[in-house]
Amino acid sequence: SAVISQKPSRDICQRGTSLTIQCQVDSQVTMMFWYRQQPGQSLTLIATANQGSEATYESGFVIDKFPISRPNLTFSTLTVSNMSPEDSSIYLCSATETTGEGEKLFFGSGTQLSVL
Amino acid sequence: AQSVTQPDIHITVSEGASLELRCNYSYGATPYLFWYVQSPGQGLQLLLKYFSGDTLVQGIKGFEAEFKRSQSSFNLRKPSVHWSDAAEYFCAAPEGGNNRKLIWGLGTSLAVNP
């Protein structure tokens, strides 16, 4: 299976600053996604990172707050902008890989973000 | 609307005991269903998935799950739990049949006593 490297693994940030999270896949993948996992809650899809075009955002998420880049088929970044304590969460990068059993969604190890 | 429910927020079992984690779904058609595990400080790892065919699905790490349409359930089982199984377990199903967008349960936190 493909391997996703995500960094930083954790960070503590000040209110009003921005953090960029990087996601590197060791093989070319068609689809890459960004999820948020807030404390005590399930995973929520933020957006689909599209290679060569603007990301597709889910309801409740906007590009100004969560700009996403996808310059090629193996790399994507998510920026959490103008952070507030409510942005404290785990952010997960994921990608789909096509196997003999169909598409499989796999994940990076996540970025634990704490905003003071 | 589709939903995935994990009724148990937290479960504690003794090492060597059997385990069953519950997952219920609401979806009109036969769903695809997944179980993921998230170990502390790590990302999500796919344990197993059900697409069609045999309703008893074998996964990694000795886990299995059984799809029961009559009960709208996809419970995860393991006959003998190891201390390393302590983790968060998530059940998920594609939204509207789209494998790329999953609806997730809230997760079940598993603690294993020595």
Side-chain angles (χ1 to χ4, degrees), chain A residues 75-104:
Chain A
F75 186 77
S76 178
T77 67
L78 168 74
T79 299
V80 186
S81 303
N82 188 25
M83 288 184 283
S84 67
E86 291 72 32
D87 294 320
S88 297
S89 184
I90 298 174
Y91 292 86
L92 291 153
C93 172
S94 70
T96 55
E97 178 183 45
T98 300
T99 70
E101 297 174 305
E103 262 186 2
K104 175 181 171 182

Side-chain angles (χ1 to χ4, degrees), chain B residues 1-73:
Chain B
Q2 287 177 254
S3 66
V4 174
T5 304
Q6 293 179 247
D8 304 307
I9 295 174
H10 185 84
I11 286 181
T12 300
V13 299
S14 297
E15 191 168 17
S18 63
L19 171 71
E20 183 169 33
L21 302 181
R22 295 184 290 166
C23 173
N24 296 99
Y25 67 90
S26 68
Y27 185 58
T30 299
Y32 295 166
L33 294 161
F34 304 85
W35 274 101
Y36 282 84
V37 60
Q38 185 177 35
S39 299
Q42 298 189 28
L44 289 151
Q45 182 182 20
L46 179 65
L47 280 175
L48 49 77
K49 59 186 183 292
Y50 171 77
F51 282 169
S52 65
D54 193 345
T55 56
L56 184 62
V57 181
Q58 301 297 321
I60 62 171
K61 305 185 179 186
F63 285 92
E64 66 177 26
E66 186 171 12
F67 169 64
K68 293 185 177 180
R69 181 191 301 277
S70 61
Q71 299 177 18
S72 297
S73 69

